[in-house]
Amino acid sequence: MSSMQRNYRRAGLETPVCNAVTVGIETEDGQVRAAVWWDAKAGVEAGEQQHLLVSDALAAAEAARALHGFDEIVVVLQSDDLWDPAWGTLDDASREPMGDIASSDLSDEEAFALAAGIEAERDA
């Protein structure tokens, strides 16, 4: 890995991820293994790869992200203790969906500004 520390978003296996390459990390027969996959999108077929080393899987995910124009790399862990900080920073949980704000004390203007900010982040 380069000297630049990578940052990944963690998601649950059942969490839908759009426009992302996913790296799944699990143990099998006492060995840590990783898989890389992505869903089909316009001009890109779905794909999946198996890797013996997580570092290889993360490198392959970055290559697939760049080649196919995906927005990000998302990590799914079988258990919390499988993540090695040497691989980068892992942001816990999904950034979205935020949930229902109907019962919050936000004004209409604040709610609109919040939604506009989320959309701007998605488009960035």
Side-chain angles (χ1 to χ4, degrees):
M1 181 159 70
S2 70
S3 60
M4 186 176 88
Q5 185 80 348
R6 292 286 311 168
N7 188 45
Y8 304 99
R9 181 169 62 98
R10 182 175 178 182
L13 188 56
E14 301 302 319
T15 303
V17 289
C18 299
N19 203 25
V21 177
T22 303
V23 177
I25 303 171
E26 66 181 3
T27 57
E28 183 180 308
D29 299 325
Q31 299 281 43
V32 176
R33 306 266 192 238
V36 177
W37 68 88
W38 57 90
D39 292 333
K41 67 176 192 170
V44 178
E45 291 184 20
E48 181 172 349
Q49 307 168 352
Q50 300 294 322
H51 294 272
L52 297 177
L53 299 175
V54 174
S55 57
D56 290 348
L58 292 169
E62 182 56 42
R65 187 202 62 73
L67 177 66
H68 299 303
F70 288 102
D71 288 340
E72 65 180 329
I73 298 170
V74 176
V75 175
V76 175
L77 297 174
Q78 181 183 35
S79 62
D80 293 342
D81 63 338
L82 292 179
W83 185 254
D84 183 341
W87 299 325
T89 304
L90 190 61
D91 293 333
D92 197 20
S94 174
R95 296 181 298 217
E96 55 187 317
M98 184 177 152
D100 185 1
I101 61 168
S103 61
S104 73
D105 61 352
L106 294 175
S107 69
D108 287 345
E109 293 79 19
E110 290 170 325
F112 180 81
L114 179 63
I118 291 171
E119 288 302 314
E121 182 180 326
R122 286 182 188 162
D123 293 340

